[in-house]
Amino acid sequence: MHMHMQMTLQLLVFFVVAIILGIVLRRLLKNTAIPYSVALLVLGMLIGSVLDYDIQTPFLHELKSAFLLASQLDANLIMFIFLPALVFESAFSLEVHLFKRMFSQIALLAIPGMVLCTVITALLSLSVLPWHWSVGTALMFGAIVSATDPVAVVSLLKEMCSRARLQTLIEGESLLNDGTAIVLFTLFMGLATQAQAEFSFMHVIGEFTRVVSIGVLIGAVVAAISLKFIGSLFNDSLIEIALTLVLPYLVFYLSEHVFHASGVVSVVTLALIYAGPGRTRFSPEVMEHLHHFWHTLSYLFNTLIFILVGLVVSTRLGLADLANWQYLAVIFAGILVIRTMVIVGFMPILARIGIGLTKEKSIVLIWGGLRGAVSLALALIVATNESLDIQLRDQVLFLTAGIVVLTIVVNGSSMRFVMAKLGLDKLPKAKQKTFAKVQHKISDEMVKVRESLKQDEHLKAVNWQAVDRNIVTVATPYKEEESIDTQVEYQRKLLESERQFYWNQFAKGLLSQDATHILIGAIEKALDGTPQIWPRPFIAKHWQIPRWANQCANMPIIGVYARGASYKQHVITFESARGLFEASTYILELAPSLSLEVEQLETALEQMTLVNQFADNTLNDFRKDSPHLVERVESYLALRILLNTERKKIQELTHEGIISEVDAEKLIEEVELKMHESKKLNQLV
């Protein structure tokens, strides 16, 4: 009992000290070019290297015991505690629309690409290493070291990449690649331990398909059931956030232990459904808290996992002789060459599918193939498998640990330099031009504020020259640079602004879930390929009343449901038409301030006017064709807007300290109860 208590305390000490070290390190690295993940790994290795020394001071001895215990933790801890949460956070923060457009490229890299890397790495290890490995062992090792790790890749990209497409491609590949690696590892582990003697290519394909399909199915089913439940809640942030925390672990457990499928694929499926079609099911006020919560949790887990990897690596790497280091160097160079060969080999296909791929981005894709916690966890599973030879276990663990360190330290720390050399550290030219126009807009606003401050009686002694030197935007008037075609970028910017307008309306409670879903869907269709402001066929299709509802309206029993479906569709049409009208009016006002050329502004205004007229005509037709519904629908919308305004005002008065938080909670509860009741009444026909 005392021993167990001691271990628990030591783990707590490790957790607290590791997080404090991470916080200090993050503060020290601010405004430096050193990636946080690389620095954490090196710190973990440094701590691991001093654990052999005998320490007499009681406090330091306690710290040493805590870090020693952490370095001997079970591999399954990394797999089951850290991985589900980190994979969920990474997939949940992806731009789902972009992921869908690039899915063909991501799948090509993550499945055939990963399999090819595994096989070629196995051939390399059989020909270079003198340890007489079996084919099963070589394939198992190939699967371990070919897995690009989402934890390492994502933490690096978020620090230095503002290119959404490149980030989505690398991140998406590492997420799915991980699922593939774990599946292949499990299959080849059976081969290496002779649990399954003969190797059948068809068996591997069949098993892989089963594992991935069941993984997707479990993620989708849990997502559908949980979203149905979340949709029935009303602004309960504690339950909604707690569900997103517990469900990734549930689907991971169900997949891995109950159905022996891919836990990573299940978690990715769950996260993508939540981030895409499920986003409108969460209460609007909760989404911001949700992203903050996951961002913080991801930071804590990343800090712990990189220090842990550093600790484990340093305690294992110290045992090797010089010859092994030479083999490690060969394998490291080999896996870089193999990844290059596979991506270059796939380039003709990658350049033509999804959103295409340039030569510069393919170089970043090759160099960004970092290995991390997943590879190390798989190697630790091998190291603790008693049915394998002890020397073989040490060899696999040594090589994997070495490759993890080399890819994170060498590739990770030089990534910024590589991107700068390729010109990918800046925005594309057309985006830069649009961005410069936005900065000019900010500058105009600052000039106005500056003039009003000059009139302030209490700011008469201001040294305006010193102030202006520190405010770059005030002094830089907007200049036209060389001629670049910015039409596509301009239209994309307008559509993205329109999409954000809908999310803001949804967050304020002025748009319902269904209306938001239709309007956002239409924007994402318009953004596919070359951005197109008009026409909007997606909206027109979703505004049609189901044919069966009109045909069955007067039938007994079923007529009630038909009239209900028809009424619901009328409400959605009216709401989304109203939202479209307001958004197009807003964009018509915004467009001139973002325009770079007269012609592109005229085209955009012409197309946006057509959208505005389309929405206005729909609203007028609705009033003409369904006068019996107009009063009811408009009354419900007016009530919802007023109740949202009341809630907003209570929140503002609370921030200003006029109402206490306890009183505000009671008032908001009353308002939300009225909202919930009005929603239920509106659904009854």
Side-chain angles (χ1 to χ4, degrees), residues 145-260:
V145 295
S146 297
T148 59
D149 184 47
V151 181
V153 174
V154 171
S155 61
L156 185 75
L157 282 173
K158 282 183 179 167
E159 285 180 59
M160 60 178 67
C161 182
S162 62
R163 288 174 173 255
R165 293 173 175 208
L166 182 60
Q167 189 173 332
T168 304
L169 180 62
I170 298 177
E171 208 172 317
E173 185 225 349
S174 69
L175 283 167
L176 294 190
N177 176 317
D178 231 35
T180 311
I182 294 169
V183 173
L184 292 178
F185 167 77
T186 311
L187 290 170
F188 297 140
M189 178 91 155
L191 203 64
T193 53
Q194 266 82 47
Q196 173 203 334
E198 72 280 351
F199 177 76
S200 157
F201 186 65
M202 289 313 291
H203 169 75
V204 171
I205 292 176
E207 185 61 13
F208 180 80
T209 309
R210 182 194 73 82
V211 162
V212 172
S213 309
I214 293 175
V216 169
L217 191 66
I218 291 167
V221 168
V222 171
I225 295 167
S226 58
L227 284 173
K228 192 83 181 152
F229 175 69
I230 288 166
S232 71
L233 299 171
F234 197 81
N235 206 18
D236 197 329
S237 58
L238 289 176
I239 292 180
E240 291 179 43
I241 292 171
L243 269 174
T244 65
L245 176 62
V246 79
L247 290 178
Y249 289 98
L250 175 68
V251 295
F252 196 85
Y253 172 79
L254 285 174
S255 286
E256 291 286 337
H257 277 277
V258 180
F259 294 95
H260 304 292

Side-chain angles (χ1 to χ4, degrees), residues 21-30 36 295 299:
L21 287 172
I23 291 166
V24 172
L25 194 63
R26 190 177 170 87
R27 179 71 190 86
L28 292 172
L29 293 176
K30 210 142 185 80
Y36 179 61
H295 193 61
Y299 166 70

Side-chain angles (χ1 to χ4, degrees), residues 66-82:
F67 276 86
L68 264 175
L69 178 66
S71 70
Q72 290 152 12
L73 283 176
D74 186 10
N76 288 318
L77 183 84
I78 295 174
M79 293 292 279
F80 293 109
I81 292 184
F82 294 114

Side-chain angles (χ1 to χ4, degrees), residues 192-347:
T193 53
Q194 266 82 47
Q196 173 203 334
E198 72 280 351
F199 177 76
S200 157
F201 186 65
M202 289 313 291
H203 169 75
V204 171
I205 292 176
E207 185 61 13
F208 180 80
T209 309
R210 182 194 73 82
V211 162
V212 172
S213 309
I214 293 175
V216 169
L217 191 66
I218 291 167
V221 168
V222 171
I225 295 167
S226 58
L227 284 173
K228 192 83 181 152
F229 175 69
I230 288 166
S232 71
L233 299 171
F234 197 81
N235 206 18
D236 197 329
S237 58
L238 289 176
I239 292 180
E240 291 179 43
I241 292 171
L243 269 174
T244 65
L245 176 62
V246 79
L247 290 178
Y249 289 98
L250 175 68
V251 295
F252 196 85
Y253 172 79
L254 285 174
S255 286
E256 291 286 337
H257 277 277
V258 180
F259 294 95
H260 304 292
S262 172
V264 171
V265 170
S266 289
V267 174
V268 170
T269 307
L270 176 78
L272 289 174
I273 292 172
Y274 274 5
R279 185 172 167 181
T280 53
R281 298 288 154 211
F282 288 91
S283 306
E285 293 82 359
V286 173
M287 277 316 276
E288 199 178 337
H289 300 306
L290 195 59
H291 280 289
H292 281 313
F293 169 79
W294 276 102
H295 193 61
T296 308
L297 191 71
S298 162
Y299 166 70
L300 294 175
F301 274 19
N302 268 318
T303 303
L304 288 171
I305 206 163
F306 279 109
I307 288 181
L308 261 177
V309 168
L311 280 174
V312 172
V313 163
S314 67
T315 50
R316 307 285 174 165
L317 282 183
L319 310 170
D321 57 26
L322 185 63
N324 288 4
W325 284 95
Q326 290 168 344
Y327 297 134
L328 171 61
V330 172
I331 296 289
F332 172 62
I335 62 166
L336 285 179
V337 171
I338 290 163
R339 186 166 170 83
T340 307
M341 281 163 51
V342 169
I343 290 173
V344 169
F346 280 147
M347 264 305 281

Side-chain angles (χ1 to χ4, degrees), residues 496-513:
E496 284 171 352
S497 300
E498 187 183 339
R499 177 171 61 183
Q500 194 52 49
F501 179 86
Y502 296 135
W503 282 126
N504 293 341
Q505 293 292 90
F506 175 65
K508 290 173 190 168
L510 304 178
L511 268 181
S512 69
Q513 293 175 352

